[in-house]
Amino acid sequence: MARTSIVVIGASAGGVSALRLLAGALPADFPAAILVVQHIGAHKSELPALLTAAGSMPAKHAEDGETIVPGHIYLAPPDRHLTVNDGRLHLSRGPKENCSRPAIDPLFRSVAANYGAKAAGVILTGNLNDGTLGLLEIKLRGGVAIVQDPEDAAHPDMPRSAAAHVRPDYCLPLTAIPKLLVELVNGSDRKAAAMPISPSQQNAGAEPEKINGNRFERPLTVTCPECGGALKRRVVGSIVKFDCHIGHTYTAEVMAAAQFEEMEKVMRAAVRFLNERAEFCLQMAEHIRTAEPVAAAEWHAASKQAMDRAYKLRDLVEQDWITPESSGIAPVGNGRDRAVSDNAIEN
């Protein structure tokens, strides 16, 4: 395998502490550049200062068009995707991927395309599975795939997903990763990578024609939770992926979480409208109670009906829902901003 000349790291929930530990364990003369995406959304980030203070390598937010210099740590700034091309860094406000901007996959894909076997990708702690597809691209192009041991991660979902779908070259506790990175960039002997085997695609089973006695008319398509555009389903390795024509992309697990979030938002809005209708009808009933008692009774009935349906809908929203995406990957409270605890640490 080729000597590693660039390292890319992806992290989400719990990532700030993990990145500080890594930065503190790397030598000042580390001979390769390190590019990092930590899920921070559009929030202000002090992560460069934290990593610089933690270790010997200078860390900074990437700037659009700047040349990549070995021995530096470059971080994706808030609300910008970070990619590379021809030895330079590039920033964009492109569509969110897996409900994130910055997202891990765009960086890993671009590094795989530009550096091939000279790249090493690292997936650290985090929720859901951003970074799995990007790490797979690095692996397929001959680079080194590294995953934090899920048992060692504060939030094991991201490394668990990468370990399951990519067949990484190394699955290590966090404290062992800095030493491995030094060996990789120095060209020390290491095991050969085993390329992942893509499973044959299987057709999904037919949906039941009836559910609880009611006929289920399958919709023409599934739409994007972010913009409402039609989604195209495709399979990459063993990962199911959905893309809309705007450019928003989701793995199946992130799609399920984002879809549920939008569904709950709509249903709670319906509860609010029903409550408001009940109040409006009640006010009208009180207004004409003496002058038009028959009409007032109808307004009262409409108010009662709206309130009754609001209670029923609220009960429906608050019931337990089947969430198959959580069987191996824990759901998140807000898929669009998954690093709240990290932001609190940074700020």
Side-chain angles (χ1 to χ4, degrees), residues 212-257:
N212 295 332
N214 298 314
R215 181 174 177 80
F216 175 51
E217 298 290 347
R218 296 182 64 174
L220 295 177
T221 188
V222 178
T223 56
C224 175
E226 185 79 17
C227 69
L231 287 169
K232 181 178 180 180
R233 175 183 176 273
R234 58 194 178 97
V235 178
V236 182
S238 58
I239 302 284
V240 179
K241 194 168 184 285
F242 294 84
D243 310 90
C244 77
H245 67 279
I246 296 299
H248 300 117
T249 69
Y250 307 84
T251 57
E253 292 81 6
V254 175
M255 171 65 183

Side-chain angles (χ1 to χ4, degrees), residues 12-181:
S12 185
V16 171
S17 297
L19 290 169
R20 293 177 70 181
L21 187 150
L22 283 182
L26 291 171
D29 59 350
F30 190 77
I34 298 178
L35 280 55
V36 178
V37 170
Q38 161 71 42
H39 285 161
I40 54 174
H43 298 276
K44 179 182 178 182
S45 172
E46 300 297 333
L47 190 53
L50 291 173
L51 297 191
T52 298
S56 303
M57 295 178 65
K60 66 186 296 288
H61 277 137
E63 298 178 24
D64 189 48
E66 72 175 307
T67 301
I68 300 172
V69 178
H72 288 68
I73 300 174
Y74 300 95
L75 298 110
D79 202 32
R80 294 294 186 274
H81 288 313
L82 170 62
T83 58
V84 304
N85 186 42
D86 197 24
R88 293 183 179 275
L89 302 172
H90 295 278
L91 304 177
S92 76
R93 287 197 76 251
K96 293 180 180 179
E97 297 201 20
N98 289 319
C99 298
S100 296
R101 187 175 56 232
I104 301 166
D105 281 337
L107 172 61
F108 279 36
R109 284 198 306 267
S110 68
V111 167
N114 280 266
Y115 289 87
K118 295 183 179 180
V122 184
I123 296 296
L124 300 179
T125 173
N127 291 324
L128 295 177
N129 58 6
D130 187 27
T132 294
L133 283 169
L135 190 66
L136 179 61
E137 287 291 328
I138 290 176
K139 176 79 171 181
L140 291 174
R141 291 177 181 263
V144 181
I146 305 165
V147 172
Q148 181 181 3
D149 184 347
E151 298 299 321
D152 177 65
H155 299 265
D157 297 344
M158 276 180 22
R160 181 182 293 133
S161 173
H165 295 287
V166 180
R167 295 187 183 178
D169 302 295
Y170 301 92
C171 184
L172 302 171
L174 182 64
T175 54
I177 293 177
K179 180 177 182 293
L180 171 63
L181 295 179

Side-chain angles (χ1 to χ4, degrees), residues 251 261 272:
T251 57
E261 179 186 346
R272 176 173 62 84

Side-chain angles (χ1 to χ4, degrees), residues 99 222-226 250 252-268 316-326 331-336:
C99 298
V222 178
T223 56
C224 175
E226 185 79 17
Y250 307 84
E253 292 81 6
V254 175
M255 171 65 183
Q259 187 185 58
F260 187 88
E261 179 186 346
E262 290 300 308
M263 179 188 70
E264 183 178 21
K265 185 187 301 182
V266 170
M267 293 176 73
R268 290 195 182 279
L316 178 63
V317 175
E318 294 177 356
Q319 287 177 10
D320 289 334
W321 291 79
I322 297 174
T323 53
E325 74 276 11
S326 67
V332 292
N334 186 340
R336 292 177 174 79

